[in-house]
Amino acid sequence: MRILKLKPYYISLIFLTFWSINTHAQESNVSVNQDTRFEQLLKEKRKINPSITVNDRYKVQIFYGDNDKARKALSDFKRDFKNIDGTIVFESPTYKVWVGNFKSKIDAERTMVDIKKKYPHALLIKPNK
């Protein structure tokens, strides 16, 4: 009678087959304990969020350049036009000063007439963020 030698990879295959039958995936239950103030904060954000829109609003760009000059342009603008909001947007490598938040192009153009008196290089834009 002849004894057959099993090659090592066959032994490994047999061992892994029997061992994998008994293995199980990780089983766990996860529970999240959430602070009640978090829900209040989310509700407040949802109330405020509809008024903060960027995509469907027109803006006027009054400056394009470096950071220090952008900050100066924004502070000068806020001093001259107290009822119009403004912000600085960074798009590498320059800073842009955007002002206003107009629903329609006509409203933006009407306001831009006054803005162009002080800032002759102002542009009407519709950001696509």
Side-chain angles (χ1 to χ4, degrees):
M1 180 150 71
R2 188 172 144 195
I3 298 176
L4 297 175
K5 288 188 175 180
L6 291 176
K7 295 189 178 183
Y9 56 87
Y10 287 131
I11 293 173
S12 299
L13 183 65
I14 292 171
F15 174 73
L16 285 174
T17 303
F18 286 115
W19 182 68
S20 66
I21 292 172
N22 292 328
T23 60
H24 300 284
Q26 295 177 359
E27 296 176 12
S28 175
N29 293 330
V30 177
S31 63
V32 177
N33 296 326
Q34 185 172 317
D35 192 359
T36 56
R37 293 178 294 174
F38 183 72
E39 281 298 323
Q40 290 173 334
L41 183 63
L42 278 177
K43 287 178 186 175
E44 290 298 318
K45 180 167 173 38
R46 288 182 188 125
K47 286 180 192 174
I48 293 171
N49 207 16
S51 66
I52 303 172
T53 57
V54 174
N55 293 346
D56 59 344
R57 303 285 178 133
Y58 289 90
K59 298 189 181 294
V60 176
Q61 179 176 313
I62 61 168
F63 181 80
Y64 179 82
D66 64 71
N67 188 18
D68 295 331
K69 291 179 182 174
R71 289 179 189 271
K72 185 176 181 332
L74 181 61
S75 65
D76 291 346
F77 180 83
K78 285 185 177 181
R79 187 174 46 247
D80 295 336
F81 300 92
K82 292 182 169 111
N83 58 344
I84 301 175
D85 242 358
T87 187
I88 296 175
V89 178
F90 176 71
E91 289 185 6
S92 182
T94 60
Y95 292 84
K96 298 177 181 181
V97 178
W98 290 350
V99 297
N101 195 16
F102 307 102
K103 285 184 180 181
S104 68
K105 189 173 183 177
I106 294 223
D107 292 338
E109 287 174 346
R110 285 182 189 146
T111 306
M112 196 165 103
V113 169
D114 295 333
I115 293 173
K116 275 209 172 214
K117 292 175 185 172
K118 173 90 173 159
Y119 301 94
H121 300 291
L123 306 170
L124 181 63
I125 59 169
K126 187 172 184 182
N128 55 359
K129 282 188 176 180

